[in-house]
Amino acid sequence: MSDKKALLRDIPKVDEVMKITSIDGLTALYPRELVVEAVRGALEGIRQSILNGGKEPGRLKPEELSARVAAALKRLTRPNLRRVINATGVVLHTNLGRAVLSPSAIEAVQMAASGYSNLELNLESGKRGSRYDPVEGLICRLTGAQAALVVNNNAAAVLLALSTLARGREVIVSRGQLVEIGGSFRIPEVMEQSGAVLREVGATNKTHPDDYKKAINESTALLLHVHTSNYKIVGFTRETSVGELAEMGREAGLPVMSDLGSGSLVNMDVLGLPPEPTVQQTIEAGADVVTFSGDKLLGGPQAGIIAGKKEILDRMKKSPMTRAVRIDKMTVAALEATLREYLDTGRMLQNIPSLRMITADEGLLKERALALKALLEDAAGGRAAIEAGKGSSAVGGGAMPTAGLPGWLVSVKPLDMTVEDLSVRLREGDPAVVGRVQDDRLLLDPRTILKDEDIILAGALASAISRRG
Ligand SMILES: *Cc1c(COP(=O)(O)O)cnc(C)c1O
């Protein structure tokens, strides 16, 4: 006990530490207050260690103390949001920021962020314009909708649509479509938030048109179809299609809404991929309103796109909620540029990174995997067994949940540390690298590793695998 007291008494004062030459020198690199904060933190660390019975002396050697302070300053000043090399193979990884933007979208964001723009000014008339003008026409042209609106994300789009169309009234939904998307988006809860009343019909696996018909009453406001984007009900099933709902809606004088979630503009099955309903098909099938994300299969910025009948969209545009969930100028810029890529059908699959990744062919992925393997072998310097072989990746973003995309993977089996240790070190590096751990190996998927990241990844592996302790 008294031993601890003596050690604690030995801890120097902050002022005293600030006079150490090497620590005073840090004030040339960092603001003084930050250095003081780091010194305080280092001294507090020593105090805690002594209190916990650690063997540390109260008074460290100046070199040791200044090394700790310098390390703390590095941690304090490095950005919290950092570049990550996505080696998971999940193309639309929500935790890693979903879609990577196209070069044209990046350029547009740069333009919008670095100067003023005509965000809400009509340059021809000199009058006030709408921030949705740059994208509404493009969305209509690409989807066949009469009108469109863009909000912060698809969750906001669903909330806005339900609140505008069905507040205080009933919305009929199939029990098989009460989905939960990651991050607490659940249809029943969003419904409650919007002030609409959920009227579930049918069974989990089967919902017939008659189930909807029987539920329609004078307080029904909307027939809702939710694309079960992140799961599939297979086997003995029956889903009532958007087309069938549209027919019932017309008979009953009710609008029909489809929450598509991933909302692709490209017909995936033409590309040999599992089918995803496109926005165009859904509009054509008769949906009055369609909502989908900007950063899922579309491959653009985070946004919620609402497309549909003009009369309905006009009502939404007037809602005060629209103002609360409006998009910023960088989103407008990135979304417009992304949508413009779709006008060039010959090049869109190459120009939009997520589409390029999803449609990457196996031969190319094999080539990339073999090249990456060679780089990593050099980088590991015999400290890991590295192999390349066939494997599969996922689309993510709640699209094509049952489809593994066939490709090639590189596996890294460290020889003198555990695979968990290696993956932690890679994650904490700069840039961070995130892969998949499976059977004592770290799997790295070239599908989602950007071309110029191969060499950076090799450098990251070299430093992670050689660092001791
Ligand atoms: C992803 C998804 C949402 C939520 O979209 P965010 O853009 O993440 O807000 C809503 N509905 C469905 C069906 C989805 O797949």
Side-chain angles (χ1 to χ4, degrees):
M1 191 61 199
S2 62
D3 214 27
K4 269 190 191 174
K5 268 191 185 147
L7 286 169
L8 288 171
R9 254 201 314 274
D10 236 11
I11 299 177
K13 297 272 173 300
V14 174
D15 288 349
E16 199 184 319
V17 174
M18 287 301 290
K19 289 191 190 113
I20 298 173
T21 319
S22 55
I23 289 184
D24 184 52
L26 290 169
T27 58
L29 302 172
Y30 302 97
R32 188 174 185 85
E33 308 82 74
L34 219 55
V35 179
V36 172
E37 187 184 330
V39 166
R40 249 192 215 113
L43 297 178
E44 179 57 25
I46 296 169
R47 209 175 76 85
Q48 287 303 329
S49 147
I50 293 170
L51 288 174
N52 293 333
K55 299 260 175 301
E56 196 144 78
R59 188 167 292 267
L60 295 178
K61 289 201 188 92
E63 312 87 78
E64 170 60 22
L65 191 53
S66 68
R68 285 193 197 182
V69 172
L73 282 166
K74 249 194 182 142
R75 278 197 304 276
L76 279 169
T77 52
R78 85 170 173 174
N80 293 327
L81 186 67
R82 292 200 285 276
R83 181 65 177 259
V84 171
I85 295 179
N86 175 10
T88 64
V90 180
V91 178
L92 301 166
H93 199 305
T94 299
N95 300 155
L96 302 181
R98 289 197 188 154
V100 172
L101 296 181
S102 66
S104 67
I106 293 165
E107 202 178 298
V109 169
Q110 169 100 22
M111 175 281 294
S114 57
Y116 297 99
S117 58
N118 61 331
L119 183 66
E120 289 188 352
L121 177 70
N122 183 319
L123 292 174
E124 275 168 36
S125 66
K127 295 212 171 79
R128 203 198 147 120
S130 152
R131 67 177 60 216
Y132 308 109
D133 285 347
V135 289
E136 182 168 16
L138 283 165
I139 297 168
C140 292
R141 177 170 169 169
L142 291 164
T143 64
Q146 294 173 355
L149 175 63
V150 183
V151 294
N152 183 54
N153 55 18
N154 189 35
V158 174
L159 188 63
L160 172 65
L162 291 176
S163 127
T164 309
L165 300 174
R167 177 176 292 273
R169 297 174 64 201
E170 288 184 7
V171 178
I172 307 181
V173 195
S174 157
R175 291 200 164 87
Q177 296 173 358
L178 299 176
V179 308
E180 171 177 321
I181 313 296
S184 74
F185 177 95
R186 286 169 154 188
I187 290 291
E189 281 153 35
V190 174
M191 193 79 74
E192 199 175 315
Q193 267 308 309
S194 75
V197 179
L198 172 65
R199 181 74 192 267
E200 331 174 4
V201 295
T204 307
N205 57 332
K206 285 200 175 201
T207 305
H208 301 273
D210 258 0
D211 295 323
Y212 292 86
K213 275 190 191 140
K214 274 186 256 162
I216 293 175
N217 64 68
E218 63 281 6
S219 65
T220 306
L222 183 71
L223 306 180
L224 174 64
H225 186 276
V226 183
H227 176 46
T228 59
S229 48
N230 57 1
Y231 66 97
K232 279 240 160 350
I233 297 177
V234 295
F236 188 57
T237 63
R238 166 71 157 100
E239 196 187 71
T240 299
S241 68
V242 171
E244 288 171 313
L245 287 175
E247 210 180 300
M248 278 185 271
R250 268 195 304 277
E251 278 166 24
L254 290 170
V256 171
M257 166 170 157
S258 164
D259 173 18
L260 271 184
S262 44
S264 177
L265 294 182
V266 179
N267 210 332
M268 294 289 162
D269 46 346
V270 176
L271 303 169
L273 293 163
E276 277 281 317
T278 65
V279 181
Q280 301 90 301
Q281 287 164 352
T282 312
I283 298 265
E284 203 168 281
D288 298 285
V289 198
V290 180
T291 64
F292 57 102
S293 297
D295 55 354
K296 288 186 180 170
L297 284 174
L298 190 77
Q302 178 189 304
I305 301 171
I306 312 174
K309 299 262 159 71
K310 181 166 186 311
E311 179 267 320
I312 289 180
L313 268 289
D314 282 344
R315 280 165 65 194
M316 285 187 207
K317 286 174 187 172
K318 288 194 202 104
S319 161
M321 196 185 281
T322 302
R323 175 63 178 77
V325 294
R326 80 176 182 189
I327 46 171
D328 74 312
K329 60 189 175 186
M330 290 181 281
T331 304
V332 175
L335 185 60
E336 176 180 358
T338 305
L339 292 168
R340 284 195 185 282
E341 295 290 2
Y342 281 92
L343 299 177
D344 187 352
T345 47
R347 269 188 291 217
M348 66 187 177
L349 295 182
Q350 280 311 305
N351 289 350
I352 300 172
S354 19
L355 292 182
R356 185 176 63 229
M357 291 174 191
I358 291 167
T359 58
D361 82 45
E362 223 180 305
L364 174 79
L365 291 169
K366 177 179 179 183
E367 222 172 86
R368 294 260 338 259
L370 294 176
L372 183 61
K373 172 180 182 260
L375 274 176
L376 296 185
E377 259 165 357
D378 271 354
R383 289 200 163 95
I386 311 217
E387 283 165 37
K390 287 191 180 201
S392 73
S393 5
V395 173
M400 307 176 195
T402 51
L405 302 173
W408 277 68
L409 306 175
V410 176
S411 78
V412 179
K413 186 181 165 66
L415 302 179
D416 50 11
M417 67 174 76
T418 66
V419 67
E420 281 77 18
D421 281 345
L422 176 63
S423 70
V424 168
R425 287 174 181 207
L426 284 170
R427 227 170 39 232
E428 289 177 351
D430 192 11
V433 178
V434 180
R436 275 187 277 164
V437 171
Q438 198 176 300
D439 308 329
D440 285 346
R441 274 157 221 278
L442 181 67
L443 300 180
L444 305 171
D445 191 331
R447 187 187 298 274
T448 49
I449 301 169
L450 304 178
K451 194 96 209 335
D452 56 0
E453 286 176 340
D454 279 6
I455 194 91
I456 306 170
L457 173 50
L461 180 71
S463 78
I465 212 158
S466 64
R467 244 187 309 141
R468 309 256 114 229

